[in-house]
Amino acid sequence: MNFDAMFEEQLQALKDEGNYRYFKELERKCGKFPRAANHEDGQKRDVTVWCSNDYLGMGQHPSVVAAMCEAVQRTGTGAGGTRNISGTNHDHLLLEAELADLHGKEAALLFTSGYVSNWAALSTLGSRLPDCVILSDSGNHASMIEGIRHSRARKVIWQHNDVADLEAKLAALPANVPKIVAFESVYSMDGDICPMKEIVEVAEKYGAMTYLDEVHAVGLYGPRGGGVSEREGLAHRITLIEGTLGKAYGVVGGYITGSAALCDFIRSFASGFIFTTALPPAVAAAARTSIRHLKESSDERMQQRRQVARLRAALDREGIPHMHNDSHIVPVMIKDPVKTRMLADYLMDEWGIYVQPINYPTVPKGTERLRFTPSPLHTDADIDHLVNALRTLWRQCAIAHAVA
Ligand SMILES: Cc1ncc(COP(=O)(O)O)c(C=O)c1O
């Protein structure tokens, strides 16, 4: 068997359709966000990053950096084991208490990433609750889809953000089976926000538990950064809130929050929690500092909103098609994988602007895009430079000016 030939064949198919992924080799520069060096062909060149999910630049905030350094000096680099066998550190418990408080819940549980938290929590709930049915929004993230699949529970997909469809599907299920409604607050590729109150009300009507992914909202929405559920005053009505420490909080890791019984249940049965080395305590310490900072300070959120609005207004003036939404995510639609890559390459090579082309399977075919995430640290001059570049490319490449 020539395994490499089999691998190459499938990779070639990806390349032929323009969906092969090329990674940029960045070297982030602490204190210079959103500037980074791009390594290419043995050269190193400064670029402005326009697609970071370190949405507020907290990964380089002096207090977060200091907290991580202090904790490394105090505790060393790694956790020393799984949470079960010598790996549970004081910093983990402090962080879990901080997270429970953030969402107004009894308890929280840490995971090594947001992906793992979704995968582990949903697969445990779906497999351990007898006859459980999981009702999953059709736009849900791969980590939720994989968790549900792994649970082998019955899955019912409802149309994206369509509460009437959700209700019809809930109504069709037997009253006495456990049901979980799984959805996100901010959908990361289109930047749209779910009708949370309506979803919660329908779920309550049918006695379903609610599972909310706030990965693209924690730190960013709500007066203390508790996400859209905090902003809408709904957190107490949601059974489980899941989030990440790797995006707006600028570190790494994932978590769930909920009742003490729910978190103890996942802690006790989820293999993705039990059988893996715990996060380094220094990561936990840095994440806690970041969360505490964003609980107190709204400056970053307000400045981010200003820059998002400024970019959108400039794109509108130029007639550059971008998806309208109420979030901080600005998708500029290209609708062709090859053109999307070409534009991203031009932006990098000619303008020192890094934006990753977003292609299938991250988004459906025909909806390829450039996804911009303005931060509080992008200056007005950065925005002018980006829009100037896009204006020039739109002219050169004859890309449609229609609004998406
Ligand atoms: C909606 C959603 N949930 C979960 C995750 C996974 O989070 P993490 O990057 O912390 O693994 C992502 C990652 O992008 C995501 O977009």
Side-chain angles (χ1 to χ4, degrees), residues 53 113-116 118 141 143-144 184 186 188 213 215-216 242-247 253-254:
N53 279 350
S113 72
Y115 187 103
V116 174
N118 272 334
H141 186 254
S143 53
M144 298 168 87
E184 301 178 21
V186 177
S188 66
D213 175 316
V215 159
H216 293 276
E242 182 270 348
T244 185
L245 305 170
K247 300 192 196 288

Side-chain angles (χ1 to χ4, degrees), residues 35-259:
R35 252 41 90 188
N38 179 43
H39 288 253
E40 201 164 332
D41 302 329
Q43 309 270 332
K44 198 167 136 176
R45 186 173 153 230
D46 276 2
V47 296
T48 301
V49 180
W50 269 101
C51 55
S52 180
N53 279 350
D54 184 354
Y55 291 125
L56 301 175
M58 291 303 289
Q60 300 179 9
H61 192 282
S63 68
V64 178
V65 174
M68 188 177 277
C69 293
E70 182 280 326
V72 166
Q73 296 296 342
R74 177 166 48 81
T75 72
T77 52
T82 63
R83 285 293 294 268
N84 188 36
I85 306 178
S86 89
T88 294
N89 281 256
H90 184 55
D91 291 283
H92 295 132
L93 296 194
L94 291 176
L95 175 56
E96 286 174 342
E98 199 69 56
L99 289 163
D101 172 77
L102 176 67
H103 296 291
K105 299 287 182 196
E106 285 174 0
L109 200 60
L110 275 174
F111 295 82
T112 46
S113 72
Y115 187 103
V116 174
S117 59
N118 272 334
W119 182 85
L122 281 166
S123 59
T124 304
L125 290 166
S127 63
R128 291 240 157 216
L129 294 175
D131 303 321
C132 177
V133 181
I134 304 182
L135 296 103
S136 177
D137 183 287
S138 63
N140 276 345
H141 186 254
S143 53
M144 298 168 87
I145 296 170
E146 290 297 335
I148 296 166
R149 185 178 295 160
H150 187 71
S151 78
R152 303 216 184 118
R154 180 168 163 209
K155 168 161 102 168
V156 174
I157 297 174
W158 47 289
Q159 280 166 38
H160 179 54
N161 279 346
D162 184 338
V163 184
D165 189 47
L166 170 63
E167 171 145 29
K169 288 183 164 141
L170 277 167
L173 292 169
N176 58 347
V177 299
K179 304 169 196 75
I180 301 174
V181 174
F183 61 111
E184 301 178 21
S185 53
V186 177
Y187 286 84
S188 66
M189 291 301 143
D190 289 357
D192 53 336
I193 299 181
C194 75
M196 196 175 289
K197 185 159 181 281
E198 289 80 358
I199 293 172
V200 168
E201 277 168 2
V202 167
E204 284 172 350
K205 182 171 163 192
Y206 292 88
M209 125 177 204
T210 36
Y211 184 111
L212 172 64
D213 175 316
E214 288 256 38
V215 159
H216 293 276
V218 286
L220 302 173
Y221 298 89
R224 299 195 315 155
V228 178
S229 56
E230 185 195 21
R231 186 184 73 182
E232 318 264 303
L234 290 166
H236 64 291
R237 290 169 69 182
I238 290 165
T239 322
L240 184 157
I241 297 176
E242 182 270 348
T244 185
L245 305 170
K247 300 192 196 288
Y249 293 125
V251 193
V252 70
Y255 65 88
I256 60 162
T257 60
S259 70

